[in-house]
Amino acid sequence: MNVLRALIYDDQVSLTIIDTTKLVKDGLARHGLKGESADVFARTLSFLTYVSSCLKEETGEVSIALQTDGKLSTLSASGNTALAMRGYLAWDTEKTETIGDGALTIVRDDGYSRPFVGSCALVKGALDESFEEYYRISEQLPTEITTCFFENERGGVAFCGVIALQPLPFASQTTLEKLPDEKQRLATLKEVAKDGLFTVANRAFGVKEEDCHYKNAEYRCNCSREYLKGVLVSVGEKELRQIVKEDGAIHAHCHYCNTDYAFDEKDVDEMFQKE
Ligand SMILES: [Zn+2]
């Protein structure tokens, strides 16, 4: 289990610590990302794993979009209550700034009413501050968020994670004042690599085992041949047959998991099989 959630400080603050190392490793491998782009992708995916871990309903879904005029052109990622996470980004090496001016948008579907759409301007060059800005402006839930991403000497993922502290509306002033600052949060998060989630939560916040809620997050795309066939049907039989005739097959690409799909005449026959 790589997600730990617990109430701390007399149940006045919700604590979440997530070790996203494995998930991020899988995501980066899918897209062959390294260095700066890997850092942005890893930390955004970690943040989104936190947002997804807050979903209450079983059918909940959340997606994030970052758009900037810097090297990070766009980043799209999504997750669900089961914490199956996926995403992709477009990187423009011609630009000088990593994260330029831009916006962060989140669409959260809790599964029981209309999706909630929230948006905020990005804090230039600062991902964590942007994530916090989103919670303050759009959710009106001030939340302290720190993400981290460390590569090893070989350019692989050494550790990646996120820690978030969200005071509940009735949290007292005294409690708010004892929340760890950014430096302390990062130090706590880094210890997870060596000691694991529970030991760190226990040592830093006095969390007891019986008060912990665990979940498991992973990098997993929900695309499939069957799903894409369903989407293609809406293009129309005549058009699809024409494409097969001209190109030999219908090609589709899933950006999230970087997978190519090809559908031939037999597939089209199946799609439009009459009962
Ligand atoms: Zn996919």
Side-chain angles (χ1 to χ4, degrees), residues 181-254:
D181 64 19
E182 195 191 335
K183 228 171 118 188
Q184 292 167 318
R185 291 197 301 272
L186 182 60
T188 302
L189 185 55
K190 278 161 86 173
E191 290 170 4
V192 171
K194 168 162 78 28
D195 298 331
L197 293 170
F198 175 71
T199 303
V200 170
N202 174 264
R203 193 165 55 211
F205 305 103
V207 172
K208 294 193 190 75
E209 186 67 66
E210 60 266 32
D211 299 325
C212 294
H213 298 276
Y214 292 98
K215 283 183 185 176
N216 199 55
E218 60 180 344
Y219 194 92
R220 193 173 75 223
C221 191
N222 55 7
C223 72
S224 67
R225 287 189 66 81
E226 288 317 303
Y227 171 76
L228 280 166
K229 277 184 187 173
V231 174
L232 285 170
V233 163
S234 63
V235 174
E237 183 171 2
K238 205 176 134 218
E239 286 76 6
L240 291 177
R241 291 203 184 278
Q242 188 66 28
I243 297 170
V244 173
K245 213 172 130 193
E246 283 169 14
D247 304 335
I250 301 150
H251 297 279
H253 181 77
C254 176

Side-chain angles (χ1 to χ4, degrees), residues 99-113:
I99 299 163
D101 286 317
L104 179 165
T105 306
I106 288 189
V107 180
R108 197 186 67 229
D109 185 349
D110 278 312
Y112 55 81
S113 61

Side-chain angles (χ1 to χ4, degrees), residues 116 132-143 166-167 169:
F116 171 84
E132 291 181 342
E133 182 83 347
Y134 169 80
Y135 266 94
R136 190 166 53 241
I137 306 272
S138 291
E139 304 267 346
Q140 279 147 20
L141 283 170
T143 306
Q166 188 173 74

Side-chain angles (χ1 to χ4, degrees), residues 86 221-224 254-259 261:
R86 57 185 195 147
C221 191
N222 55 7
C223 72
S224 67
C254 176
H255 287 289
Y256 286 107
C257 59
N258 214 3
T259 304
Y261 289 93

Side-chain angles (χ1 to χ4, degrees), residues 13 22 25 60 65 97 103 110 135 157 163 173 177 242 275:
V13 175
K22 171 76 169 64
K25 229 182 240 179
E97 281 172 321
D110 278 312
Y135 266 94
V157 185
I163 181 167
Q173 194 55 36
E177 279 161 15
Q242 188 66 28
E275 295 290 303

